[in-house]
Amino acid sequence: MAEFCDLQIHVNCQQTFFTNERILSKFCGRLRKIIKQEKRRTQIRNSGIEIDDFPGGADGFEQAIRFCYNNGTVEITVSNISLLHCCAIFLGMTENVSNFNLLHQTEVFLQGIFYWSWSDIITCLKSCESFFSYADSSGLIQKLLCSLQAKIAQKTDVNLLILSSSSSSSSPDKRFNSDELKIKRSSSRKEWWFEDMTVLNPITIEHFVKALGAYGNENNSLVLTRFLLHYLKTAVRSNNKGINTKTSEYSELANTAVHGVILMGKTAFSCRGLFWVLRIVSGLGLSRECQAGLERLIGGMLDQATLDDLLIFGGHNGGAYDVNLVVRLIRLFVHDDRVTLEKMKKVGRLMDKYLGEIGPDQLLKVSKFLGIAQSLPDYARDCYEEVYKAIDIYLQSHPALSLEERSRLCGCLNYEKLGLEACKDLAKNPRIPPRIAVQALASQHSIIQRADQFMNDDYDSKYITNNQSVLYNNSNNNSMRVKELEKIFYKERRGQMSRMTAKGLLPLSTSIPRFC
């Protein structure tokens, strides 16, 4: 047995094969040449031969030498044809070395590629993943993709895929040129072939897209864009399930998909659809250009968004939600000259809900909360009661905030747009700094004075504030409103300030200001 195994072959630094020199030399032209060179160099035969970058590694080499040991016979299937073909090329297993050698047999098998079923082609492409570069350089990937495109064209509506008349025949004698395959726009959300192709790796999909001439910023196909989004969504789900996928591998596919989305824009995607796209591609290494383009598109439609749309996971940005993204979208919306007052107020109401939703997040910084609250112009809100409620929620969830931070947080309020009930609650709210409560009370006092002035000047007695109609019958009602607010304020603040003075947090001379 030792004399029979007279040649060691080390494959890809993975495994050592003990083989027979004569058997391998009969079929493998490259090994025959190497063995002769080794002998001329008078190297010791037992030192073996080093082979690097062998397609398929040890498994591929084992299948190739099985062919040799079986005297040139092997079962060829769609599952192993790619590997056997590449091994045969690598080892020089041609007709010049032996009749009906492995390369010839694989080429004969591949001649029937256009008769293969759809699943056969997918299986064969999938099998190429571990040696894709070699399969690509040998021209095998191109053959498989051409066959794949032909299958799609044969079974798809003509509005989606059209083959030119010169190659519309399904005959295997016809060569399908990728330039002749044109993808048409379609409103179809999911084609029959989408799901099957999700098993292929990103580099295979990249070659598929390139073969169609729709890679990168050349993508002008809605159906291909939808396919890429479906493919990327599947990849993201797999990653979330713990399957090892490198997100960087998908970055160019994500850019290609987003280029298509930007080109089609509002004609093909709703605001919710655009947020769905953003969720899919956000963690896949999207380029700044594509990210900015997608955000511009969403920002222009922000008035159509819902609260659920805005609740995007914050990732590593510090917080449960991506608040920075929402701030950018608001700025894009506000600076759009086509935005009407009605749309602006609609977004204002939406952001008030968003503030209430993100308020309990204990990792949310004051600056980010204010970034949302202050990003809209004052006229976007008829009242600030929802903003006040959101602030109170935030304060309850962040009890360790300093007096300065709490005061800064309340700086986004317009006290004149706070209703009576909100002012009552603010006046007795222990989480609100006393100075803020004084300012709110002063603002209400100013409103009453202006109302009295309007009535004295024979203006309409209906004074509109906070989107509510307050009917002032006489000045006594005005005075009673101020006194009611002051009574609540002084009652709550005296006790609070007494406690703070006792603790040494306020000087003894501190007094509560009066307005009447």
Side-chain angles (χ1 to χ4, degrees), residues 71-350:
N71 198 27
T73 60
V74 67
E75 181 184 4
I76 302 178
T77 66
V78 293
S79 299
N80 67 10
I81 177 62
S82 298
L83 183 56
L84 290 174
H85 183 72
C86 291
C87 290
I89 295 174
F90 188 94
L91 292 173
M93 303 173 76
T94 65
E95 294 299 283
N96 295 332
V97 180
S98 175
N99 291 331
F100 206 56
N101 210 342
L102 183 57
L103 182 58
H104 174 73
Q105 292 188 37
T106 58
E107 287 177 341
V108 171
F109 191 91
L110 288 170
Q111 286 177 5
I113 194 170
F114 288 101
Y115 291 118
W116 292 7
S117 68
W118 168 263
S119 60
D120 286 344
I121 301 170
I122 294 293
T123 299
C124 194
L125 274 169
K126 179 71 175 174
S127 70
C128 294
E129 292 182 356
S130 62
F131 51 96
F132 188 89
S133 297
Y134 201 88
D136 186 34
S137 63
S138 69
L140 180 59
I141 297 299
Q142 183 180 1
K143 290 180 182 178
L144 290 168
L145 289 178
C146 283
S147 181
L148 190 75
Q149 294 163 9
K151 292 294 182 185
I152 294 175
Q154 290 167 3
K155 297 182 180 181
T156 303
D157 192 302
V158 292
N159 291 324
L160 174 62
L161 292 168
I162 297 178
L163 283 172
S164 67
S165 58
S166 63
S167 45
S168 59
S169 172
S170 60
S171 170
D173 295 331
K174 294 286 185 179
R175 290 295 179 182
F176 287 86
N177 189 325
S178 62
D179 293 335
E180 295 169 346
L181 187 62
K182 305 298 181 183
I183 292 187
K184 298 292 184 179
R185 288 190 180 185
S186 170
S187 59
S188 175
R189 291 189 174 273
K190 184 178 178 181
E191 297 297 326
W192 61 269
W193 48 276
F194 281 16
E195 188 63 34
D196 292 338
M197 291 187 65
T198 58
V199 301
L200 301 176
N201 65 357
I203 192 170
T204 305
I205 301 300
E206 280 189 19
H207 278 65
F208 172 72
V209 176
K210 287 177 180 177
L212 298 173
Y215 190 69
N217 57 12
E218 295 179 349
N219 177 22
N220 61 357
S221 166
L222 177 57
V223 67
L224 187 58
T225 298
R226 292 196 185 282
F227 161 67
L228 289 175
L229 292 172
H230 178 77
Y231 178 82
L232 294 171
K233 178 188 70 174
T234 304
V236 170
R237 285 179 177 175
S238 298
N239 195 44
N240 291 338
K241 291 179 181 179
I243 299 176
N244 186 19
T245 57
K246 296 179 181 178
T247 55
S248 58
E249 297 176 345
Y250 299 89
S251 60
E252 291 306 317
L253 291 178
N255 287 331
T256 300
V258 171
H259 274 298
V261 171
I262 293 172
L263 182 63
M264 258 62 78
K266 300 178 182 179
T267 61
F269 293 89
S270 65
C271 184
R272 169 153 289 188
L274 292 174
F275 272 105
W276 175 76
V277 171
L278 186 63
R279 281 183 167 87
I280 291 173
V281 302
S282 60
L284 297 178
L286 199 64
S287 70
R288 290 185 179 181
E289 176 189 359
C290 289
Q291 180 80 23
L294 185 57
E295 289 181 8
R296 278 196 301 271
L297 203 56
I298 298 175
M301 303 169 65
L302 195 58
D303 58 295
Q304 301 175 29
T306 65
L307 180 59
D308 288 340
D309 294 333
L310 299 177
L311 299 177
I312 296 177
F313 176 60
H316 302 289
N317 294 323
Y321 304 110
D322 194 346
V323 177
N324 292 337
L325 168 66
V326 178
V327 170
R328 293 196 300 270
L329 295 178
I330 297 173
R331 289 173 180 171
L332 290 167
F333 177 80
V334 169
H335 289 92
D336 189 342
D337 296 334
R338 298 165 296 179
V339 173
T340 63
L341 179 60
E342 181 182 359
K343 290 183 177 180
M344 188 69 75
K345 289 185 176 182
K346 188 175 182 181
V347 171
R349 292 191 292 272
L350 176 63

Side-chain angles (χ1 to χ4, degrees), residues 281-511:
V281 302
S282 60
L284 297 178
L286 199 64
S287 70
R288 290 185 179 181
E289 176 189 359
C290 289
Q291 180 80 23
L294 185 57
E295 289 181 8
R296 278 196 301 271
L297 203 56
I298 298 175
M301 303 169 65
L302 195 58
D303 58 295
Q304 301 175 29
T306 65
L307 180 59
D308 288 340
D309 294 333
L310 299 177
L311 299 177
I312 296 177
F313 176 60
H316 302 289
N317 294 323
Y321 304 110
D322 194 346
V323 177
N324 292 337
L325 168 66
V326 178
V327 170
R328 293 196 300 270
L329 295 178
I330 297 173
R331 289 173 180 171
L332 290 167
F333 177 80
V334 169
H335 289 92
D336 189 342
D337 296 334
R338 298 165 296 179
V339 173
T340 63
L341 179 60
E342 181 182 359
K343 290 183 177 180
M344 188 69 75
K345 289 185 176 182
K346 188 175 182 181
V347 171
R349 292 191 292 272
L350 176 63
M351 290 308 134
D352 290 351
K353 293 179 182 178
Y354 183 71
L355 286 171
E357 190 70 27
I358 66 176
D361 180 8
Q362 295 186 355
L363 296 178
L364 183 66
K365 297 180 179 179
V366 172
S367 59
K368 289 192 176 185
F369 185 97
L370 289 174
I372 297 294
Q374 297 176 335
S375 57
L376 288 169
D378 184 67
Y379 63 82
R381 294 183 175 94
D382 290 323
C383 68
Y384 275 73
E385 292 186 14
E386 294 302 318
V387 179
Y388 167 67
K389 291 178 183 178
I391 289 175
D392 193 35
I393 292 172
Y394 185 87
L395 291 174
Q396 291 179 50
S397 304
H398 300 77
L401 289 181
S402 66
L403 183 64
E404 180 183 358
E405 288 174 317
R406 285 185 285 145
S407 299
R408 182 183 167 203
L409 192 66
C410 295
C412 66
L413 289 171
N414 183 340
Y415 306 117
E416 293 188 358
K417 288 187 177 182
L418 280 176
L420 178 59
E421 293 303 318
C423 282
K424 286 181 179 180
D425 188 81
L426 185 149
K428 61 183 180 181
N429 191 337
R431 291 176 290 275
I432 300 296
R435 180 172 60 85
I436 300 301
V438 171
Q439 292 176 358
L441 185 59
S443 298
Q444 292 295 313
H445 188 267
S446 176
I447 292 173
I448 302 300
Q449 285 184 328
R450 289 200 298 271
D452 287 340
Q453 183 64 39
F454 289 161
M455 286 187 293
N456 292 336
D457 292 341
D458 296 329
Y459 278 93
D460 190 347
S461 62
K462 183 179 287 187
Y463 177 70
I464 308 298
T465 181
N466 304 326
N467 213 24
Q468 300 172 345
S469 299
V470 183
L471 186 64
Y472 294 96
N473 295 322
N474 52 56
S475 59
N476 290 332
N477 288 342
N478 302 339
S479 300
M480 288 178 64
R481 182 181 182 190
V482 173
K483 290 179 179 179
E484 183 181 5
L485 286 172
E486 285 185 333
K487 186 183 298 183
I488 295 171
F489 172 73
Y490 291 125
K491 180 180 178 181
E492 296 296 329
R493 295 303 166 180
R494 276 198 190 95
Q496 184 179 9
M497 293 178 70
S498 297
R499 291 190 295 273
M500 294 176 70
T501 302
K503 293 179 181 180
L505 299 177
L506 289 177
L508 294 175
S509 60
T510 302
S511 60

Side-chain angles (χ1 to χ4, degrees), residues 57-69:
D59 180 57
F61 188 78
E62 181 177 351
Q63 292 199 38
I65 63 174
R66 282 183 182 277
F67 173 84
C68 301
Y69 275 88

